[in-house]
């Protein structure tokens, strides 16, 4: 009995032990399942992030292609309705591109892959880029921009310029987007901390719709739209402010919001930066306003339809501004978004001048300059290169000259200084001075007279639209004749280059040359040739090598016929000019010194009055007199200046003799 009694607790103990083992096994199983679930969730999250990041990258390529081809439509189309459609495509495409970029940034932030990278940057350059990024929207909505920038802030700092620019750009874009009238204010202040550290204080204010108090906490939530406010009317992606907040926090700051619904909002943040150069920034607002005035009062000083320049800047809006400033000069302007892209372009094309931004990521302007000078077989190796910079402090000029630049230009770009610099450094044979004359005259009234004087029927027979060609030359018949002469040489040069790239199968190189040929042809009124070049440009950019090979012989045949016919025409014109000169020499007359002096005074008076027709007539009269070689030389110099519309220079030449 006692044995049975003693066995019961032992059996219960075994049961309890088995139960505990079962519970332990179940717990271990649950832990395994939880770990597996966690791994699966992490794997799914990683897969999502990778998918979104890859898709963002993949989507950018076709979007950029669409936007690039759409730009060609905007530039080339003569149909205003089609242009309006293309402008809508540009706006929608840029919005889509911005959304894709936001998705990529957000996934990087979520995955912890977005890194803060510090480097040296110019405060003036940063401000210039930010203003350019919203300038178009400001003009469209007729909003004022108020700049409250501390004049004594150190002009060169150390920090993550790319992400600081992104943060402020997001805030400025939001302010413009939700403001229908009034102004946008950008405040930049600072205070000194220990050693070389400072704290910058950035505030973006607007007079827009404002935000309801209960909606403010939702502002920085990803994909969160606000309800019952004008801000929810389909304009926001739900990512911009979320990214802004995360970026500021990653750099040790915090975004604050103040808003009065219906009156406006203010977004602000503070960040610690380090001083690289403590030289004060100066009056940036004054510099910016002077730049605006120079653009508003702009009148081109020259045209250079055969001049080729390359502008390099990592900011797309800066490139657009520079292109816009040069539009009326008829220059052939190519652009590059990086130093690497610049080096690739100069392998395929020769330029007369390069404008190179200093502060660019990966390869800055100085490094790019040295790479250009060191590149073997580079036809642009020794051309003038101008630095574009916000570095307007004392000693800047010496720095850039010592590095090898010919000159430098501060941003925001002053159009007057820009053109003076181009006139100085571009080759004389491609620059035609206009002397601020109005090149936008009504050509329709003078077409018949102009065309007749340069044998319109002859040129039309070889494929030139005289009306369009003269418009591009500002109505100057003599200039048009010079450009036709240069175009004859260009046809030979371009055909050789195109054949070489075609032989190599190099479609990117072919596209660059054919694009240039299209511009050359359009400038002289060779519209059929320009249209054919445009067709081949689209094919080559799309990589359609077989189509390009099939169609190129048609282009080469057009170029050959045009070149041969143009040579006959130019030879005929040269013979006529020689006959005219011989006739003039045969009819020289005598004149007394007093009468000669009076005649020169009369010419000076006509030049002073900018009376082109009567001044030219007087000059032709003076050329018929038998005068010493010094007087003849003076008249030739005067004639050259007058043909270039440089009446002030011609007047100085005459006055120097009187």
């Amino acid at each position: 009995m006692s044995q049975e009694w003693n066995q019961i607790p032992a059996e219960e103990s075994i049961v309890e032990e088995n139960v505990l083992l079962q519970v332990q096994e179940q717990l271990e199983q649950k832990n395994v399942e939880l770990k597996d679930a966690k791994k699966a969730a992490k794997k799914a999250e990683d897969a999502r992030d990778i998918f979104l990041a890859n898709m963002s990258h993949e989507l950018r390529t076709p979007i950029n292609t669409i936007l690039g081809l759409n730009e060609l439509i905007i530039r080339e189309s003569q149909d205003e309705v089609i242009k309006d459609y293309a402008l809508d495509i540009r706006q929608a495409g840029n919005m889509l591109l911005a959304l894709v970029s936001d998705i990529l940034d957000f996934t990087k932030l979520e995955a912890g892959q977005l890194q803060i990278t510090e480097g040296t940057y110019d405060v003036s350059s940063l401000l210039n880029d930010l203003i350019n990024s919203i300038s178009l929207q400001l003009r469209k909505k007729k909003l004022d921009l108020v700049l409250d920038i501390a004049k004594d802030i150190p002009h060169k700092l150390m920090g993550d310029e790319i992400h600081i620019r992104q943060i402020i750009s997001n805030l400025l874009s939001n302010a413009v987007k939700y403001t229908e009238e009034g102004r946008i204010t950008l405040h930049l202040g600072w205070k000194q901390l220990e050693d070389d550290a400072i704290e910058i204080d950035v505030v973006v204010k607007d007079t827009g719709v404002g935000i309801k108090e209960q909606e403010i906490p939702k502002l920085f939530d990803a994909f969160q739209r606000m309800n019952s406010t004008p801000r929810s009317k389909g304009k926001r992606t739900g990512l911009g402010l979320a990214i802004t907040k995360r970026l500021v926090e990653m750099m040790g700051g915090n975004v604050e919001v103040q808003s009065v619904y219906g009156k406006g909002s203010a977004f602000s943040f503070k960040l610690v930066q380090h001083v690289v150069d403590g030289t004060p920034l100066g009056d940036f607002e004054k510099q910016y306003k002077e730049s605006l005035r120079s653009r508003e009062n702009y009148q081109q000083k020259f045209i250079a339809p055969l001049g080729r320049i390359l502008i390099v800047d990592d900011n797309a809006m800066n490139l657009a501004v520079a292109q816009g400033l040069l539009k009326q000069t008829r220059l052939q302007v190519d652009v590059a978004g990086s130093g690497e892209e610049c080096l690739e372009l100069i392998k395929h094309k020769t330029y007369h001048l390069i404008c190179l931004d200093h502060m660019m990521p990966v390869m800055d302007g100085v490094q790019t300059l040295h790479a250009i000078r060191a590149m073997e077989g580079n036809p642009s190796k020794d051309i003038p290169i101008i630095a574009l910079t916000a570095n307007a402090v004392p000693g800047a000029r010496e720095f850039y000259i010592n590095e090898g630049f010919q000159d430098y230009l501060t941003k925001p770009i002053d159009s007057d200084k820009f053109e003076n610099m181009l006139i100085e450094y571009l080759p004389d044979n491609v620059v035609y001075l206009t002397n601020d004359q109005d090149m936008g005259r009504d050509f329709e009234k003078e077409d018949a007279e102009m065309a007749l004087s340069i044998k319109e029927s002859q040129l039309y027979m070889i494929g030139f639209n005289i009306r369009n060609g003269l418009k591009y030359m500002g109505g100057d018949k003599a200039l048009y004749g010079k450009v036709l002469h240069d175009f004859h040489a260009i046809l030979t040069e371009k055909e050789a280059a195109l054949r070489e790239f075609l032989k190599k199968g190099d479609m990117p190189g072919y596209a660059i040359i054919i694009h240039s040929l299209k511009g050359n042809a359009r400038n002289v009124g060779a519209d059929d040739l320009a249209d054919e070049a445009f067709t081949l440009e689209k094919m080559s950019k799309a990589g359609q090598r077989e189509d390009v090979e099939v169609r190129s012989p048609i282009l080469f045949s057009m170029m050959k016929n045009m070149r041969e016919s143009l040579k006959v025409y130019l030879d005929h014109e040269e013979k006529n000019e020689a006959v005219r000169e011989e006739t003039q020499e045969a009819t020289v007359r005598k004149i007394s010194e007093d009468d000669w002096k009076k005649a020169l005074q009369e010419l000076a008076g006509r030049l002073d009055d900018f009376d082109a027709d009567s001044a030219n007539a007087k000059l032709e009269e003076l050329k018929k007199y038998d005068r010493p070689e010094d007087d003849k030389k003076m008249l030739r110099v005067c004639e050259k200046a007058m043909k270039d519309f440089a009446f002030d220079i011609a007047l100085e030449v005459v006055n120097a003799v009187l």
Side-chain angles (χ1 to χ4, degrees):
M1 184 73 178
S2 61
Q3 290 179 350
E4 292 177 359
W5 179 263
N6 290 334
Q7 289 175 354
I8 293 173
E11 291 175 356
E12 290 179 353
S13 176
I14 292 171
V15 171
E16 289 177 0
E17 187 175 342
N18 289 337
V19 170
L20 289 172
L21 287 172
Q22 290 176 0
V23 171
Q24 187 175 353
E25 288 176 359
Q26 290 175 355
L27 288 173
E28 288 177 355
Q29 181 64 30
K30 289 292 184 184
N31 284 335
V32 170
E33 290 175 359
L34 286 171
K35 287 179 180 178
D36 289 343
K38 187 176 181 181
K39 286 180 180 178
K42 181 67 167 61
K43 188 175 180 180
E45 186 177 325
D46 290 345
R48 181 205 65 185
D49 292 340
I50 293 171
F51 170 77
L52 288 173
N54 288 338
M55 283 304 299
S56 296
H57 279 299
E58 293 298 326
L59 285 169
R60 280 175 171 173
T61 300
I63 292 172
N64 282 326
T65 301
I66 292 168
L67 290 174
L69 293 173
N70 189 62
E71 284 302 311
L72 293 178
I73 295 173
I74 293 172
R75 294 180 189 180
E76 303 296 337
S77 177
Q78 303 299 316
D79 189 319
E80 292 302 320
V81 175
I82 291 176
K83 276 190 176 181
D84 287 341
Y85 290 152
L87 290 170
D88 290 339
I89 292 173
R90 177 201 277 173
Q91 183 177 1
N94 285 330
M95 289 175 63
L96 181 59
L97 194 60
L99 175 57
V100 168
S101 297
D102 280 349
I103 292 172
L104 179 60
D105 286 342
F106 189 74
T107 54
K108 284 182 178 179
L109 282 167
E110 288 288 286
Q113 296 175 351
L114 198 147
Q115 301 295 321
I116 298 300
T117 305
E118 294 192 341
T120 301
Y121 66 93
D122 286 305
V123 175
S124 183
S125 180
L126 173 71
L127 293 170
N128 179 73
D129 293 350
L130 288 168
I131 293 169
N132 282 341
S133 71
I134 60 169
S135 58
L136 182 61
Q137 299 97 307
L138 287 171
R139 287 198 299 272
K140 282 184 176 179
K141 301 183 81 169
K142 298 181 180 178
L143 299 175
D144 294 327
L145 176 64
V146 178
L147 296 174
D148 180 20
I149 311 298
K151 297 178 182 178
D152 58 349
I153 188 171
H155 89 282
K156 191 172 286 189
L157 302 176
M158 172 75 73
D160 190 339
E161 179 194 9
I162 293 175
H163 288 122
I164 291 174
R165 183 187 300 176
Q166 183 179 359
I167 291 164
I168 303 175
S169 179
N170 282 346
L171 296 180
L172 285 170
S173 296
N174 252 22
V176 175
K177 190 183 297 183
Y178 299 116
T179 304
E180 297 305 321
E181 58 181 21
R183 63 188 175 277
I184 308 297
T185 302
L186 173 60
H187 165 83
L188 175 60
W190 71 291
K191 71 176 183 180
Q192 185 72 50
L193 301 178
E194 296 179 354
D195 300 325
D196 65 345
I198 66 169
E199 183 181 69
I200 62 169
D201 179 18
V202 179
V203 184
V204 176
K205 299 179 183 178
D206 65 63
T207 56
V209 296
I211 311 163
K212 290 182 178 179
E213 187 175 350
Q214 63 270 25
E215 300 289 348
I216 292 179
K218 302 177 185 178
L219 276 174
F220 302 105
D221 293 338
F223 301 104
Q224 179 67 49
R225 292 181 181 273
M226 295 174 291
N227 299 317
S228 305
T229 82
R231 285 180 174 253
S232 64
K233 293 182 179 178
K235 287 187 177 180
R236 57 176 303 184
T237 67
L239 280 175
L241 287 177
I243 292 170
T244 298
K245 182 174 186 293
R246 295 282 289 274
L247 286 173
V248 171
E249 289 173 347
M250 285 179 69
M251 287 187 273
N254 186 48
V255 180
E256 297 182 356
V257 186
Q258 293 180 328
S259 184
V260 177
Y261 183 61
K263 292 187 177 180
S265 306
F267 290 77
S268 62
F269 65 90
K270 297 177 181 179
L271 291 176
V272 175
Q273 303 285 276
H274 293 275
V275 178
V276 176
D277 188 333
T279 306
L281 174 67
D283 195 339
F284 178 84
E285 184 177 14
K286 180 181 178 182
Q287 184 184 5
Y288 171 70
K289 287 181 177 178
E290 287 177 352
S291 173
L292 283 182
R293 277 195 295 271
S294 74
R295 295 179 200 175
E296 290 169 359
N297 301 323
Y298 170 72
Q299 180 67 45
Q300 82 276 19
K301 297 182 176 182
F302 73 97
I303 56 175
L306 299 180
R308 300 183 299 274
I309 75 168
L310 174 63
I311 302 176
V312 187
D313 197 304
D314 63 308
N315 184 278
M317 284 305 301
N318 286 346
L319 292 174
V321 168
Q323 284 180 294
L325 289 175
L326 297 176
K327 185 176 181 180
Q328 293 184 42
T329 66
R330 309 294 185 194
L331 272 164
Q332 299 174 41
V333 182
D334 287 345
V335 296
S338 65
E340 297 90 336
E341 189 178 345
C342 166
L343 296 179
E344 187 63 30
L345 279 173
I346 63 176
K347 291 178 184 177
H348 303 292
K349 189 172 180 180
T350 304
Y351 294 96
H352 294 121
L353 182 143
I354 297 175
C355 296
L356 192 56
D357 183 33
H358 181 189
M359 301 302 290
M360 296 187 293
V362 184
M363 179 182 283
D364 68 21
V366 174
Q367 293 170 321
T368 305
L369 168 71
H370 294 160
I372 292 172
R373 300 301 191 209
M375 186 184 293
E376 293 296 330
N378 169 23
S380 300
K381 183 177 181 179
D382 298 319
I383 66 169
I385 300 180
I386 296 171
L388 299 179
T389 176
N391 192 359
V393 298
R397 181 179 179 81
E398 290 74 15
F399 168 79
Y400 289 112
I401 297 300
N402 290 337
E403 288 293 343
F405 290 94
Q406 268 61 52
D407 216 322
Y408 85 110
L409 190 67
T410 57
K411 296 187 289 186
I413 294 175
D414 183 308
S415 59
D416 189 59
K417 292 178 181 177
F418 196 13
E419 288 203 3
N420 286 339
M421 204 167 284
L422 292 174
I423 291 170
E424 180 178 356
Y425 292 111
L426 282 170
D428 292 339
N429 63 336
V430 303
V431 174
Y432 305 99
L433 300 178
T434 63
N435 198 34
D436 293 337
Q437 297 213 358
D438 181 10
M439 307 302 282
R441 295 180 298 158
D442 183 4
F443 295 102
E444 301 294 332
K445 296 178 182 178
E446 301 185 15
D447 261 351
E449 179 186 343
M450 292 178 187
L452 184 61
S453 68
I454 56 174
K455 297 179 177 58
E456 178 178 11
S457 59
Q458 222 179 338
L459 287 176
Y460 267 120
M461 286 175 64
I462 58 175
F464 288 91
N465 185 324
I466 307 305
R467 176 174 296 180
N468 288 342
L470 282 168
K471 283 183 180 179
Y472 282 115
M473 298 303 115
D476 187 332
K477 295 168 284 185
L479 171 57
Y480 189 39
K482 291 179 183 178
V483 173
L484 283 174
H485 188 277
D486 293 336
F487 183 65
H488 178 265
I490 283 175
L491 287 171
T492 302
E493 171 195 328
K494 300 295 185 192
E495 182 177 343
L498 289 170
R499 287 185 182 277
E500 183 65 23
F501 285 121
L502 195 60
K503 182 179 178 181
K504 295 177 182 177
D506 185 346
M507 288 299 98
Y510 187 100
I512 291 172
I513 300 300
I514 201 72
H515 173 78
S516 175
L517 174 63
K518 179 189 68 179
N520 294 143
R522 196 75 73 190
N523 281 337
V524 297
D527 293 340
D528 290 342
L529 183 63
D531 291 341
E532 185 64 29
F534 179 47
T535 300
L536 280 161
E537 180 185 8
K538 290 188 291 185
M539 290 178 177
S540 56
K541 283 185 174 179
Q544 299 170 353
R545 180 177 174 180
E546 291 183 3
D547 293 334
V548 171
E549 288 176 343
V550 170
R551 189 138 186 163
S552 288
I554 300 173
L555 177 82
F556 296 149
S557 177
M558 293 175 69
M559 294 173 73
K560 180 175 181 289
N561 292 335
M562 186 169 286
R563 187 170 58 246
E564 291 176 351
S565 301
L566 193 55
K567 186 177 187 306
V568 173
Y569 168 78
L570 292 171
D571 287 346
H572 180 70
E573 285 297 291
E574 287 178 5
K575 288 178 182 177
N576 287 343
E577 182 63 25
V579 170
R580 283 193 292 270
E581 289 178 359
E582 288 176 5
T583 304
Q584 288 177 353
E585 289 176 4
T587 57
V588 293
R589 295 176 292 177
K590 300 290 183 179
I591 186 173
S592 68
E593 291 301 321
D594 288 341
D595 289 341
W596 175 253
K597 187 174 181 180
K598 289 178 182 177
L600 287 179
Q601 289 172 341
E602 185 178 349
L603 174 61
R606 295 179 184 184
L607 289 171
D608 195 34
D609 292 335
F610 294 96
D611 189 344
D613 291 337
S614 65
N616 277 312
K618 192 64 181 178
L619 183 66
E620 290 301 317
E621 177 189 328
L622 293 175
K623 286 163 60 178
K624 295 177 182 179
Y625 291 111
D626 183 16
R627 298 297 301 170
E629 185 56 36
D630 286 346
D631 285 343
K632 290 180 180 179
K633 183 178 179 180
M634 178 271 294
L635 291 177
R636 288 196 296 270
V637 173
C638 185
E639 183 178 30
K640 172 66 170 63
M642 290 168 66
K643 283 183 177 179
D644 287 340
F645 300 103
F647 288 87
D648 52 343
I649 296 175
L651 181 59
E652 288 180 14
V653 171
V654 175
N655 283 335
V657 178
L658 290 173

